[in-house]
């Protein structure tokens, strides 16, 4: 059970990791980096003429206008995803993106501390090429991170917003949490069927057409897509067994990454944050390697657009 501490000023019980040395400073740095990357995305758009945040402009900030049927949008998500996005549709898109980036980066700092990482891990994650890619096309992983921070019983509906990102965390939960959390998921899904009767078919159709279709194939970096699928699945199963035995949600998330059919660079941020919290030195090597690979594509692209 997650320990908690009481806030003297408000009386609110906060998770114990929020009292760890450096937590507030790390969150402040995360917020500052969110602003830096947001400005970098604006500069990227001005330099290249390629407008950032297309998913935000076309889909997520438009959800408030299609609450009765979000599947008229490109919407391979569970329907309750639209509910926390309602306030975003009331803001200009750049401001909505900034709000999400500040929230997301602050939540990532909390996630790292929740799983025993510190300031070094926060800096590695939030200065990575993955962070820059997130700044260019921030998606819904911030909701998933909330699912990793709340008690397991409430995590299911949040993790299902982007199941490929971290649903494997459930492999590290105790069986009683599977039962309690499963009942919550069933209750939410049942209510959703009342409000959005055709949501299952709409979601599956959109996943097949977009996520797993030609559009998604261009950005799919899932292990099962980059390596022989039987090998990827075998690694995933082996890690899943380890996660079950140790009741370790971090290993469970890694196991899941080897099984899912689809992943994007910005979408692996929660998994990378968990990895970095536990193995920061190896994560630094991975981050530097990713920057080298990312720069080999980014720099020629920037030079080419400047020469037009």
């Amino acid at each position: 059970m997650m320990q908690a501490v009481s806030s003297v000023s408000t009386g609110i019980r906060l998770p114990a990791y929020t009292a760890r040395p450096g937590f507030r400073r790390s969150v402040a740095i995360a917020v500052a980096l969110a602003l830096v990357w947001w400005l970098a995305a604006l500069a990227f758009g001005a330099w290249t003429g390629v407008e950032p945040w297309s998913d935000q402009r076309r889909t997520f900030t438009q959800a408030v206008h299609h609450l009765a049927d979000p599947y008229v949008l490109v919407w391979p998500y569970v329907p309750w995803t639209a509910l926390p996005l309602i306030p975003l549709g009331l803001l200009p898109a750049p401001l909505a993106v900034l709000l999400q980036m500040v929230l997301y980066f602050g939540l990532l700092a909390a996630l790292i501390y929740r799983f025993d990482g510190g300031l070094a891990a926060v800096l590695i994650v939030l200065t990575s090429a993955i962070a820059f890619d997130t700044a260019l096309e921030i998606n819904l992983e911030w909701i998933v991170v909330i699912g990793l921070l709340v008690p397991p019983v409430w995590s299911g509906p949040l993790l299902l917003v982007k199941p490929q990102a971290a649903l494997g965390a459930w492999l590290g939960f105790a069986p009683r949490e599977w039962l309690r959390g499963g009942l919550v998921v069933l209750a939410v899904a049942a209510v959703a069927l009342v409000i959005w009767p055709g949501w299952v078919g709409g979601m599956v159709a959109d996943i097949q057409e977009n996520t797993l279709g030609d559009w998604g194939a261009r950005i799919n970096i899932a292990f099962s897509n980059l390596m022989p699928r039987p090998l990827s699945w075998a690694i995933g199963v082996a890690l899943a067994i380890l996660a079950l035995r140790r009741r370790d949600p971090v290993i469970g998330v890694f196991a899941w990454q080897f099984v899912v059919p689809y992943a994007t660079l910005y979408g692996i941020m929660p998994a990378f944050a968990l990895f970095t919290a536990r193995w920061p030195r190896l994560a630094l090597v991975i981050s530097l390697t990713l920057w080298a690979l990312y720069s080999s594509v980014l720099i020629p692209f920037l030079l080419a657009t400047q020469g037009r």
Side-chain angles (χ1 to χ4, degrees):
M1 183 179 296
M2 187 184 301
Q3 294 180 335
V5 294
S6 296
S7 170
V8 175
S9 58
T10 65
I12 298 173
R13 292 181 64 81
L14 300 174
Y17 62 81
T18 62
R20 289 181 52 207
F23 175 77
R24 293 185 179 182
R25 179 175 60 175
S26 292
V27 172
I29 290 172
V31 170
L33 285 171
L35 177 59
V36 169
W37 285 128
W38 179 77
L39 291 171
L42 287 175
F44 176 88
W47 180 290
T48 64
V50 178
E51 191 174 54
W53 314 319
S54 59
D55 284 347
Q56 290 287 335
R57 297 177 190 275
R58 299 171 185 172
T59 302
F60 304 135
T61 57
Q62 300 305 307
V64 66
H65 306 299
H66 301 282
L67 294 176
D69 184 13
Y71 297 97
V72 300
L73 302 167
V74 177
W75 197 262
Y77 313 108
V78 289
W80 56 85
T81 303
L83 301 181
L85 302 181
I86 290 174
L88 303 179
L90 307 178
L91 300 171
L95 186 56
V97 168
L98 177 59
L99 177 63
Q100 289 173 88
M101 287 193 62
V102 167
L103 178 62
Y104 187 22
F105 279 36
L107 288 169
L108 283 167
L111 181 68
I112 288 168
Y113 271 77
R114 163 72 178 84
F115 286 94
D116 300 324
L119 176 58
V122 172
L123 290 173
I124 291 169
V125 170
L126 299 184
T127 59
S128 67
I130 305 173
F132 177 60
D133 200 62
T134 295
L136 294 179
E137 198 59 85
I138 184 169
N139 214 267
L140 301 174
E141 283 75 20
W142 58 271
I143 301 177
V144 172
V145 175
I146 296 174
L148 292 169
L149 291 172
V150 300
V153 65
W154 307 115
S155 66
L158 298 167
L159 296 179
L160 284 172
V161 166
K162 292 292 288 287
Q164 67 269 33
L167 190 59
W170 270 46
L171 292 169
F173 296 163
R176 67 178 180 276
E177 299 294 355
W178 297 347
L179 177 60
R180 296 169 62 198
L183 291 174
V184 170
V185 169
L186 288 175
V188 171
V191 172
L193 282 172
V194 174
I195 301 174
W196 301 281
W199 73 265
V200 175
M203 181 182 68
V204 171
D206 217 324
I207 290 173
Q208 292 175 338
E209 180 178 352
N210 294 295
T211 305
L212 299 180
D214 292 339
W215 175 83
R218 295 196 295 269
I219 57 174
N220 188 359
I221 63 165
F223 287 119
S224 63
N225 188 55
L226 299 178
M227 59 194 298
R229 188 164 295 176
L231 176 60
S232 179
W233 287 357
I235 295 172
V237 170
L239 289 173
I241 293 171
L242 184 62
L244 288 167
R245 288 180 175 176
R246 295 186 179 182
R247 291 190 180 175
D248 188 334
V250 174
I251 295 178
V253 170
F254 302 153
W256 193 243
Q257 298 304 306
F258 284 91
V259 175
V260 294
Y262 176 81
T264 59
L265 184 60
Y266 58 78
I268 66 172
M269 179 77 100
F272 185 60
L274 292 172
F275 185 92
T276 307
R278 187 162 293 182
W279 299 287
R281 293 183 180 179
L282 182 55
L284 178 59
V285 174
I286 293 173
S287 178
L288 294 174
T289 302
L290 282 175
W291 263 123
L293 295 172
Y294 200 90
S295 298
S296 68
V297 176
L298 178 64
I299 293 174
F301 176 73
L302 292 174
L303 293 175
T305 54
Q306 185 63 11
R308 292 175 184 173

